[in-house]
Amino acid sequence: MMDEDALIARAKEERAKIFQRYDRGREQGAEIDAWEDPALEVYHQTDRYGFIHDKRLPQKHDPHETKANEIEMERVKKWLKMLSKKDVPLYGQPKLHKRVYKGIPDSLRSQVWSKLLNLEKVMKDANNRNKYQEMLTLARTWSTEARQIDSDVNRQFREHVFYRERYSLKQKSLFNVLVAYSMYNTEVGYCQGMSGLAAVLLMYMDEEEAFWALSILLSDRKYAMHGLFIEGFPKLTRFLAHHDKIIAKFIPKLKKHFDQYNLDSILYSLKWFFVVFIERIPFNLCLRVWDVYLLDGEKVVTAMAYTILRLHKTKTLKLKDMDLIVQYIQTKLHTDFGYDDDFVIQTLEKCMEELRKAGLDLPPPATEIELPKKPFGVFVEPTVEAKIGRRKMEFTETEKEVTETVKIKREITVQEIANLNQNATIGSGSNTPLNTGHVPESEDGGSLLGSSRKSLADTSVTSTADLSVLSGGQSQRSHNAFELGYEDHPKTIESADEGEGQSSPGLHFVSDYGNERLFSRQNRNQPPRAQRPPSVQ
């Protein structure tokens, strides 16, 4: 058994190696496994946003696209005129709202997003000067998040030309932004959803700008994403309850349909609320939603969630299976939303007005628990347990309460399924129970029917709320090892201390039926994961 000094030394050595790999980048001598860095063929299959497609894009110009480009060029002229008015701030210009909703030209998104976030003011603040470099320097010595961030950097937007190559400039920037922010906001540290936010920001900003933009999204009350990522995810709970209220009021037939198939909103909406629809709607539409979100704040997320279900109500009502509904909302709409972007944003605006008139544009105000309590950018040396990544043995009252609720919810769900099977057998005169072989996982990976594997509720190793409690599902995290759900990543995590072979505390969400691990609030600095090609299990 290794003593604490040896474990700390090992963690320090691992962290140093991770930073060295990013420092070296893609220079000669870089350590890059072949499976981490797939070959590229970009010239014929990269779209205007930088995403690489499996099939070559059409060679001929689409006349509709040509017309759209002409319209965008006209908008560029109008936007340049607005941006050139040095004596009038952007927010003070009467046509701002109208033009944002019509769409910010992609060539000007960098400038406009920066102004919508007031980045220049934040970065010029005397308290913030050199703060980013200070946090990045501290991270090299003290970060307990580097290993997890390193893993997630190589998973984020792998189909995008910026992030495709291992240790590319943008991968390096993404790693730097996330490790620096984990030192800056110690209450949040790092959650995997943040990698998606930072990656989008880095498509339109440089490294330090993206750092401060991420900080604004989490801490500014207009966006207030801090409450999404702290322990217990209180903002998610609040917004999910409000979403259900909206659906019940404005689309009652759809709400009844969801209830009929035991479909809780958490099963399809995590990425809506956590990362503002990234990878849930086509990227070009996602950018349009982000334009509006940066202008009008969190009420846009509430309204867009309503808009999606309203536009696709008819199709969704035809799906008579929970699995099919979830696949449709999570996967199908990402590849083909079925409506023109302009029409969607016009509908979004109408939905926002409808919700405003009904007093439902936002849920009840946040409580103090959602707001930052610790000062930002103040260094506190991590505990020995955090440095090592040792599994903690004591849990907060919130964690204990959630664990107990998970057990109760699981028991209720299993009993409901048993009753359904019994009723179906009696009603049909058949001895065949309901087909439960294809019940989907929720976005957090929890099956609605449970599993032979022990749940986090049973093992008491969860450090935060297992989101399956919100849907009545049972978490399927293995007691012996986390299942990552990535085809190109190894399946187990070795342990750094005497708890070897057991899972460390943390919440893992798996969406799209195990194809993608989204978020994690893990105990800090879990030990290194073996770097093996995907064929090694």
Side-chain angles (χ1 to χ4, degrees):
M1 183 184 301
M2 300 176 68
D3 61 24
E4 288 184 348
D5 289 340
L7 291 169
I8 291 174
R10 187 170 79 170
K12 182 178 180 180
E13 180 182 2
E14 177 211 353
R15 180 173 59 246
K17 287 181 178 179
I18 290 172
F19 275 91
Q20 286 170 7
R21 290 198 296 270
Y22 281 94
D23 288 340
R24 184 176 294 138
R26 299 186 63 80
E27 295 177 2
Q28 187 174 1
E31 299 176 17
I32 304 174
D33 289 336
W35 64 273
E36 287 187 301
D37 196 41
L40 292 177
E41 184 198 354
V42 300
Y43 296 107
H44 297 289
Q45 56 184 22
T46 306
D47 66 21
R48 64 179 301 204
Y49 300 108
F51 283 93
I52 301 164
H53 297 265
D54 291 337
K55 297 180 180 179
R56 291 174 180 248
L57 296 174
Q59 298 297 313
K60 294 181 180 179
H61 289 291
D62 186 335
H64 295 290
E65 184 177 348
T66 301
K67 181 64 175 178
N69 290 337
E70 292 174 357
I71 294 173
E72 180 157 323
M73 289 308 299
E74 288 300 314
R75 289 177 178 169
V76 167
K77 295 176 184 177
K78 295 176 181 179
W79 272 99
L80 287 174
K81 186 176 180 180
M82 288 178 62
L83 293 169
S84 66
K85 296 180 179 179
K86 303 297 183 183
D87 54 330
V88 183
L90 191 62
Y91 275 105
Q93 302 196 35
K95 293 185 178 180
L96 176 64
H97 177 94
K98 179 180 179 180
R99 288 185 176 160
V100 168
Y101 276 75
K102 282 190 173 182
I104 300 170
D106 197 60
S107 59
L108 297 178
R109 272 202 171 93
S110 176
Q111 295 181 54
V112 179
W113 281 13
S114 294
K115 289 185 178 295
L116 291 177
L117 290 168
N118 288 315
L119 263 184
E120 184 177 0
K121 178 181 178 182
V122 171
M123 294 178 69
K124 284 185 176 180
D125 188 304
N127 294 324
N128 295 335
R129 291 175 187 170
N130 301 319
K131 182 62 70 173
Y132 173 65
Q133 288 300 326
E134 178 186 337
M135 295 297 103
L136 194 53
T137 300
L138 283 171
R140 286 180 173 273
T141 304
W142 299 105
S143 174
T144 58
E145 310 279 11
R147 190 188 64 82
Q148 183 62 56
I149 291 171
D150 172 47
S151 297
D152 294 338
V153 163
N154 199 35
R155 296 166 177 161
Q156 190 64 53
F157 287 133
R158 288 299 302 274
E159 70 279 19
H160 194 280
V161 65
F162 280 177
Y163 301 104
R164 183 72 165 174
E165 292 185 328
R166 194 64 169 121
Y167 306 120
S168 63
L169 289 175
K170 284 297 183 178
Q171 274 206 5
K172 290 166 68 175
S173 292
L174 182 57
F175 177 79
N176 288 342
V177 167
L178 294 173
V179 293
Y181 190 77
S182 71
M183 301 300 297
Y184 181 73
N185 184 349
T186 55
E187 280 185 85
V188 168
Y190 171 71
C191 287
Q192 284 178 287
M194 294 161 59
S195 63
L197 299 176
V200 171
L201 293 170
L202 280 166
M203 292 178 189
Y204 295 95
M205 301 176 186
D206 67 26
E207 199 172 293
E208 186 170 359
E209 288 173 340
F211 170 85
W212 289 113
L214 181 64
S215 175
I216 292 166
L217 290 180
L218 266 76
S219 62
D220 192 295
R221 285 178 180 261
K222 182 176 179 180
Y223 314 104
M225 299 187 83
H226 183 91
L228 287 172
F229 296 113
I230 58 173
E231 178 184 304
F233 308 98
K235 182 172 181 177
L236 176 67
T237 305
R238 185 166 58 93
F239 270 64
L240 282 172
H242 188 64
H243 173 72
D244 289 339
K245 186 176 181 180
I246 290 172
I247 303 309
K249 178 176 177 61
F250 291 104
I251 325 177
K253 191 174 181 180
L254 188 63
K255 182 64 168 65
K256 183 179 179 181
H257 186 67
F258 286 168
D259 291 343
Q260 180 182 355
Y261 293 99
N262 298 308
L263 179 59
D264 192 284
S265 55
I266 196 174
L267 299 180
Y268 59 78
S269 66
L270 278 183
K271 275 198 169 182
W272 291 2
F273 296 106
F274 269 106
V275 290
V276 195
F277 306 96
I278 293 173
E279 295 176 330
R280 283 294 171 266
I281 57 179
F283 191 71
N284 51 297
L285 177 58
C286 185
L287 289 175
R288 294 286 299 274
V289 174
W290 271 58
D291 292 343
V292 178
Y293 174 65
L294 296 185
L295 174 69
D296 285 336
E298 59 186 7
K299 64 182 179 180
V300 174
V301 181
T302 299
M304 186 61 187
Y306 168 42
T307 301
I308 291 173
L309 295 183
R310 178 172 160 178
L311 287 175
H312 298 282
K313 178 183 73 171
T314 302
K315 174 66 175 178
T316 306
L317 287 172
K318 293 179 180 178
L319 301 173
K320 307 299 183 181
D321 177 84
M322 180 201 298
D323 190 10
L324 295 177
I325 297 171
V326 173
Q327 284 186 345
Y328 177 68
I329 296 175
Q330 284 194 356
T331 307
K332 174 64 175 176
L333 297 185
H334 179 219
T335 56
D336 180 11
F337 197 76
Y339 292 93
D340 175 78
D341 291 356
D342 288 334
F343 177 78
V344 176
I345 299 302
Q346 290 166 11
T347 306
L348 169 62
E349 190 170 15
K350 291 177 182 177
C351 287
M352 290 178 69
E353 180 61 17
E354 185 178 11
L355 294 177
R356 186 193 65 79
K357 289 180 178 179
L360 293 172
D361 51 337
L362 282 172
T367 60
E368 288 298 315
I369 193 174
E370 291 187 30
L371 306 177
K373 297 176 178 59
K374 297 180 181 179
F376 295 130
V378 176
F379 173 67
V380 177
E381 183 174 340
T383 63
V384 171
E385 288 74 17
K387 292 176 184 177
I388 295 172
R390 175 172 291 157
R391 179 161 58 94
K392 67 178 182 179
M393 302 307 296
E394 297 295 328
F395 301 95
T396 67
E397 290 303 316
T398 299
E399 291 164 349
K400 292 176 182 177
E401 180 181 348
V402 167
T403 299
E404 186 60 31
T405 307
V406 170
K407 292 180 180 180
I408 295 172
K409 284 279 189 177
R410 185 195 66 217
E411 291 167 1
I412 292 173
T413 302
V414 172
Q415 184 59 49
E416 286 176 348
I417 295 296
N419 292 339
L420 284 172
N421 276 331
Q422 183 179 17
N423 293 338
T425 301
I426 294 173
S428 64
S430 168
N431 292 324
T432 304
L434 292 175
N435 178 14
T436 58
H438 298 286
V439 176
E441 290 184 343
S442 67
E443 285 205 58
D444 67 332
S447 167
L448 299 179
L449 301 184
S451 165
S452 60
R453 292 172 288 179
K454 288 182 177 290
S455 71
L456 288 177
D458 289 330
T459 59
S460 298
V461 296
T462 181
S463 66
T464 56
D466 184 335
L467 287 188
S468 64
V469 65
L470 300 175
S471 62
Q474 177 186 6
S475 172
Q476 288 195 19
R477 300 289 71 74
S478 168
H479 181 62
N480 295 322
F482 288 119
E483 296 195 9
L484 303 183
Y486 272 85
E487 293 181 0
D488 59 342
H489 284 271
K491 296 291 184 182
T492 60
I493 300 176
E494 63 181 69
S495 179
D497 65 358
E498 57 270 22
E500 187 170 354
Q502 293 186 346
S503 55
S504 299
L507 172 61
H508 296 261
F509 307 133
V510 179
S511 73
D512 298 338
Y513 310 102
N515 290 331
E516 172 182 26
R517 194 177 87 177
L518 296 181
F519 310 109
S520 171
R521 284 200 55 82
Q522 298 185 18
N523 194 21
R524 305 308 183 216
N525 195 34
Q526 286 187 357
R529 182 183 295 121
Q531 296 296 308
R532 299 175 296 179
S535 59
V536 178
Q537 299 296 325

